[in-house]
Amino acid sequence: MTVHAPTDVPTAPLRFAVLQAEATPADVAGNARQAARMVAEAARRGARAAVLPELHLCGYDLPALAGDAACEVRADAAGAVADRRLDALTEAAVRTGTLVLAGAAVRRADGRLVNGLLRFAPSGAVSLGYAKQHLWHADEARLFTAGTGGDGLWEVDGWRLGGAVCYDMSFAAHAGASALCGAHVYVCASAFVAGAERRAAVYMPARALENTVYSVFANAYGGPADRRAGGASALYAPDGSPVAVAGTDRAQVLVGELDPGRITSVRTFLHMLAERREARAGRARERRRTVV
C-alpha cells in the first residue's frame, strides 16, 4: 500500500452512516433488501459511506453457517462477487452514490471461507474488500481462514477508510497499521453480544485517540436467542470523544459528520502517529546500515 504523510487529510467533511441492523440467519437476499432500505435512509440524510455489522448478510449464527453453504457468497480469483441475492443492495449503492461495506461469509476462489467485508461501490461493482485477520477463538477458527492483510483500504471523497472486523479491534497494531498506511477512519464491523459491547466502548475510542483518526463501531442488534447482540454502535473523533452513539434496544441508522479539521487540530498537539512513522523509518534505516 501507499504510505501517506500524517498531514495528508481530506479537504471537506464526510457524512458516514452506521447501519445497526438485525439480520435473519441464512437469509442473504432478505438481509440485503433490509440493508438497501437502510442505505436509502442514510443517503437521504446525506451519508456518502455506510457500514453494516459483521456477517450481516448471513447473520452471525455460526451453527447455521456451518451447515448451509447457501449462507455464503462466492468471490472469483480477483475478489469480484456476482450474486443475484445481493442485487437490492448493489442497486441501492448505485442509486444513492454510496460506498457500502457489509459483513459476509465469503468463499474465495481457492476454497477458503473468510469472515469478510464486501465493498459495494457506487459503480455497481461488488468485491471482497477485507478478510478478518483475528478470528474469535475456536468458534470462528473451525469455519474461517484468517485474512493476512494487504487489503481493506478504500477511498471516498478524499477520505481513506481502513477496514476491520470485530475482534481485530482488540489489537492496537491492527488499527495502527491502517493509520500508518493513510487511513483517516478505522471502520470495524462487529457482532458483540449484549453486555460485551462495553469492551468496544474502551477499544474504539482508544484506537481513535492513539492514531488520531476517526473510528467507527458498527455493531449488530438482536440475532439468535442464544447470542443476542447489543447494538451501541458509535463513531468516535480523533481525540477519542464520541461523535454519535446508537441505542442498545433497536435497529438504527446512525449518521455522523466527520470533520477533517478535527484531525488537523488534534494532530497539532498529539504527535503519536508522526512519531511512530518516524521511529519506523529510523528502524528501517538502521536495518539497511546493518545489512550493508
Side-chain angles (χ1 to χ4, degrees):
M1 290 182 182
T2 302
V3 175
H4 301 269
T7 53
D8 177 17
V9 299
T11 58
L14 175 72
R15 290 187 69 78
F16 197 105
V18 180
L19 311 182
Q20 179 171 292
E22 181 172 12
T24 301
D27 186 3
V28 173
N31 293 329
R33 289 192 296 270
Q34 174 208 36
R37 292 190 291 270
M38 298 181 84
V39 167
E41 179 182 340
R44 285 193 294 272
R45 294 166 57 186
R48 294 279 294 130
V51 60
L52 289 136
E54 178 181 15
L55 294 177
H56 175 73
L57 290 172
C58 60
Y60 195 104
D61 185 336
L62 299 187
L65 179 57
D68 188 358
C71 293
E72 307 168 8
V73 299
R74 293 185 173 272
D76 66 18
V81 173
D83 190 319
R84 297 302 302 271
R85 295 174 298 173
L86 306 179
D87 282 357
L89 187 50
T90 303
E91 291 163 5
V94 173
R95 185 174 63 255
T96 63
T98 305
L99 172 68
V100 181
L101 304 174
V106 183
R107 183 71 65 178
R108 291 185 185 264
D110 62 8
R112 292 178 297 165
L113 184 67
V114 297
N115 183 340
L117 281 178
L118 291 185
R119 175 182 180 271
F120 292 77
S123 66
V126 182
S127 59
L128 173 61
Y130 174 78
K132 186 175 185 177
Q133 294 179 16
H134 302 92
L135 300 178
W136 179 250
H137 302 175
D139 294 345
E140 290 187 357
R142 279 190 288 267
L143 282 175
F144 300 112
T145 299
T148 56
D151 51 9
L153 195 67
W154 315 283
E155 186 165 326
V156 55
D157 294 352
W159 288 77
R160 288 184 294 274
L161 317 178
V165 177
C166 208
Y167 192 39
D168 285 332
M169 75 168 71
S170 305
F171 299 84
H174 186 270
S178 183
L180 285 169
C181 286
H184 306 112
V185 190
Y186 182 62
V187 182
C188 193
S190 304
F192 276 77
V193 296
E197 72 278 353
R198 61 183 173 75
R199 298 203 310 272
V202 175
Y203 289 138
M204 293 303 282
R207 300 300 164 254
L209 176 61
E210 66 202 7
N211 295 296
T212 56
V213 299
Y214 282 90
S215 70
V216 176
F217 171 53
N219 201 33
Y221 167 72
D226 62 343
R227 198 191 182 285
R228 303 286 292 176
S233 299
L235 298 92
Y236 296 97
D239 62 359
S241 61
V243 174
V245 180
T248 60
D249 59 349
R250 66 190 187 283
Q252 186 174 347
V253 175
L254 184 71
V255 178
E257 183 163 296
L258 312 187
D259 179 2
R262 294 191 74 170
I263 299 178
T264 301
S265 176
V266 169
R267 289 181 182 178
T268 62
F269 65 95
L270 293 179
H271 303 158
M272 294 90 76
L273 182 61
E275 290 169 357
R276 195 182 324 143
R277 192 184 306 274
E278 290 164 3
R280 189 175 71 166
R283 288 193 297 271
R285 287 193 296 270
E286 185 60 33
R287 283 196 297 271
R288 286 196 294 271
R289 282 197 294 270
T290 302
V291 170
V292 172

